[in-house]
């Protein structure tokens, strides 16, 4: 075993990582630089697989179940607090950088069992009274790396059975401060757009807060959030302001979040802080820990002044996904694309893994150089454009076929003509 293949403990890995990051002090956005890390510092997971928001898909499929607009907004919040459960239950990690044209697809088959938040719908009461078991509900996910500089991927989530979709662009911007990494949404990342087709295409926009990756000096990575983010639904004129509070008295970490749901005017959306919201406009208040339990209260209801549990994260873990069998995966499909690198990392052959990774990255550089030389613009296969000014990607006809195939369990997909 070479010196480069000697396994490192977590503290040693973080010291090496910190040494690399120090070269980027003063760089405005290290995410756009796309610097290459040695294999022993990477989590053997494709970036496109890692960045999904369906850690608990049963909360996603229940968003549109209620006829009560307030309950639907509370259901959006329940989904929001479970979408990144991987950070609550696991350690932060650095997955592989995505390659241009790389894509990932998967499904979840989940029980429709998330409890109603308020009164419950007719369906909930009927199921409870009859005890009739329901077949699992399928959720499909497709994402593609649509841009290399800046690195941007488009994604879509679909659950036809429940009439709900979600879409957006993922792009991160990161800055190393010397002791931590500040991670925020990039210019093309305008959040997650959730559409409820059975409620007149009611749309919710969920924006991402800024996070900090700390613990580099201590040798133990941790994520903290100290920012404000928003959820808006212009159709029902409801808005959420969530304020994440990280440090408490004497600098003790709290992981606390507080927020309000209130009526707002989409044509005059000026309220950006909780203190700006008039008490008479507040429909519900949110409080708790985004790593523990979240509660809501209904201040306008004399019988519901006590806080009620929205979601308890303690017993929850990310739900496993189903991916196409290997024989149906294309060469640029994430698991297959990174297969050899992943195998080498698992075997602790880090020098081999690093060389394989560099070969893949060099092919990407050659591909980008060829496009530039021939004055050609890259066109995604499954999405109509690399980015859009409104933050909502649209599927190509082929992208729509892929989603239908996922729903039906048909994973067959032809290589594009240029790759045959």
């Amino acid at each position: 075993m070479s010196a480069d293949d000697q396994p490192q403990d977590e503290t040693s890995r973080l010291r090496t990582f910190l040494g690399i990051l120090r070269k980027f002090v003063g760089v405005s956005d290290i995410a756009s630089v796309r610097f290459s890390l040695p294999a022993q510092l990477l989590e053997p997971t494709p970036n496109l697989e890692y960045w999904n928001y369906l850690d608990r898909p049963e909360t996603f499929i229940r968003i549109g179940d209620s006829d009560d607009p307030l309950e639907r907004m509370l259901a959006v919040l329940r989904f929001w607090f479970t979408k990144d459960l991987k950070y609550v239950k696991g350690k932060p990690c650095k997955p592989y950088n995505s390659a241009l044209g790389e894509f990932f697809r998967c499904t979840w088959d989940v029980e429709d069992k998330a409890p109603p938040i308020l009164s419950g719908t007719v369906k909930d009461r009927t199921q409870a009274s009859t005890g009739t078991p329901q077949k699992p509900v399928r959720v499909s996910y497709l994402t593609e790396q649509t841009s290399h500089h800046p690195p941007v991927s488009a994604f879509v989530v679909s659950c036809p059975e429940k009439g709900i979709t979600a879409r957006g662009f993922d792009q991160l911007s990161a800055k190393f401060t010397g002791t931590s990494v500040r991670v925020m949404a990039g210019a093309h990342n305008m959040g997650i757009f959730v559409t409820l087709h059975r409620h007149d295409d009611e749309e919710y926009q969920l924006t991402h807060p800024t996070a900090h990756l700390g613990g580099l000096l201590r040798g133990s990575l941790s994520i903290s959030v100290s920012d404000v983010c928003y959820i808006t639904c212009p159709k029902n004129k409801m808005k959420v302001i969530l304020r994440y509070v990280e440090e408490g008295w004497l600098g003790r970490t709290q992981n606390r979040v507080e927020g309000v749901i209130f009526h707002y005017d989409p044509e005059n959306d000026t309220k950006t802080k909780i203190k700006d919201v008039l008490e008479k406009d507040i429909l519900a208040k949110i409080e708790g820990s985004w790593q523990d339990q979240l509660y809501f209260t209904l201040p306008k209801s004399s019988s519901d002044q006590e806080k009620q549990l929205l979601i308890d994260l303690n017993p929850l873990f990310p739900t496993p996904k189903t991916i196409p069998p290997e024989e149906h995966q294309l060469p640029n499909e994430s698991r297959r694309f990174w297969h050899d690198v992943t195998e080498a990392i698992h075997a602790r052959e880090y020098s081999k893994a690093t060389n394989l990774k560099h070969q893949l990255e060099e092919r990407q550089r050659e591909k980008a150089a060829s496009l530039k030389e021939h004055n050609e613009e890259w066109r995604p296969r499954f999405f109509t454009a690399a980015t859009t000014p409104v933050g909502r990607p649209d599927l190509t006809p082929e992208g729509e076929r892929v989603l239908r195939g996922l729903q039906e369990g048909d994973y067959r997909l032809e290589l594009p003509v240029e790759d045959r």
Side-chain angles (χ1 to χ4, degrees), residues 24-276:
F24 295 93
V25 172
V27 175
S28 60
D29 184 7
I30 61 176
S32 64
V33 176
R34 293 180 67 89
F35 60 94
S36 181
L37 291 175
Q40 60 264 40
L41 298 184
L42 294 172
E43 185 73 15
T45 303
N47 186 62
L48 293 182
E49 177 178 354
Y50 185 74
W51 286 107
N52 72 77
Y53 303 108
L54 277 295
D55 283 349
R56 297 299 301 192
E58 77 275 11
T59 63
F60 176 75
I61 66 174
R62 295 301 299 268
I63 289 175
D65 279 4
S66 177
D67 293 328
D68 181 346
L70 176 57
E71 186 167 13
R72 292 199 296 275
M73 183 61 88
L74 286 166
V76 171
L77 279 166
R78 180 169 61 181
F79 159 70
W80 172 263
F81 288 120
T82 62
K83 71 180 180 61
D84 293 318
L85 197 61
K86 62 177 76 68
Y87 301 122
V88 177
K89 300 297 183 176
K91 63 179 182 179
C93 69
K94 174 65 176 75
Y96 307 132
N97 285 335
S98 302
L100 189 63
E102 179 187 342
F103 75 100
F104 178 77
R105 52 182 171 150
C106 70
T107 59
W108 291 264
D109 290 317
V110 295
E111 293 182 35
D112 192 359
K113 63 179 184 179
I117 298 173
L118 296 177
S119 59
T121 62
V122 172
K123 179 184 77 77
D124 295 318
R125 292 194 291 271
T126 302
Q127 185 179 344
S129 62
T130 63
T132 304
Q134 288 191 319
K135 68 175 184 177
V137 175
R138 174 160 292 186
V139 181
S140 298
Y141 178 74
L142 173 65
T143 180
E144 180 181 14
Q145 190 72 15
T146 55
S147 171
H148 191 63
H149 289 293
V152 180
S153 60
F155 71 87
V156 64
V157 184
S158 177
C159 182
E161 187 175 338
K162 302 300 289 281
I164 179 171
T165 58
R167 56 181 172 157
F169 289 101
D170 276 326
Q171 179 198 7
L172 294 180
S173 177
K175 183 177 179 62
F176 181 55
T177 66
T179 57
S180 66
V181 179
R182 184 170 179 255
V183 182
M184 65 214 84
H188 299 289
N189 185 342
M190 300 181 189
I192 306 169
F193 295 85
V194 177
T195 303
L196 305 182
H197 302 291
R198 295 178 184 174
H199 291 279
D200 196 23
D201 288 336
E202 187 174 87
E203 184 184 70
Y204 298 78
Q205 181 181 5
L206 297 70
T207 66
H208 301 288
T210 296
H212 292 265
L213 179 64
L216 294 167
L217 300 179
R218 299 192 308 269
S220 177
L221 284 182
S222 62
I223 290 180
S224 61
V225 185
S226 181
D227 195 15
V228 176
C229 63
Y230 309 96
I231 301 173
T232 51
C233 181
K235 186 154 284 187
N236 65 28
K237 298 184 178 180
M238 284 188 191
K239 179 175 179 175
V240 178
I241 299 177
L242 289 177
R243 176 174 173 259
Y244 287 81
V245 184
E246 185 52 39
E247 299 295 339
W249 187 57
L250 296 179
R252 292 177 181 171
T253 301
Q254 294 186 333
N255 299 319
R256 189 164 61 86
V257 63
E258 58 187 21
V260 290
I261 303 174
F262 62 100
H263 281 303
Y264 84 114
D265 180 0
E267 303 299 323
N268 186 30
D269 183 10
T270 59
K271 295 180 173 62
T272 59
K273 297 178 181 178
I274 293 175
K275 66 179 183 179
D276 297 336

Side-chain angles (χ1 to χ4, degrees), residues 308-335:
Q308 303 176 56
L309 182 67
L310 178 65
I311 186 76
D312 181 1
L313 301 178
N314 289 296
L316 303 180
F317 288 86
T319 302
K321 60 183 76 71
T322 300
I323 65 169
E326 283 189 28
E327 62 268 24
H328 289 304
Q329 293 182 35
L330 297 190
N332 61 327
E333 202 154 349
S334 292
R335 288 273 186 101

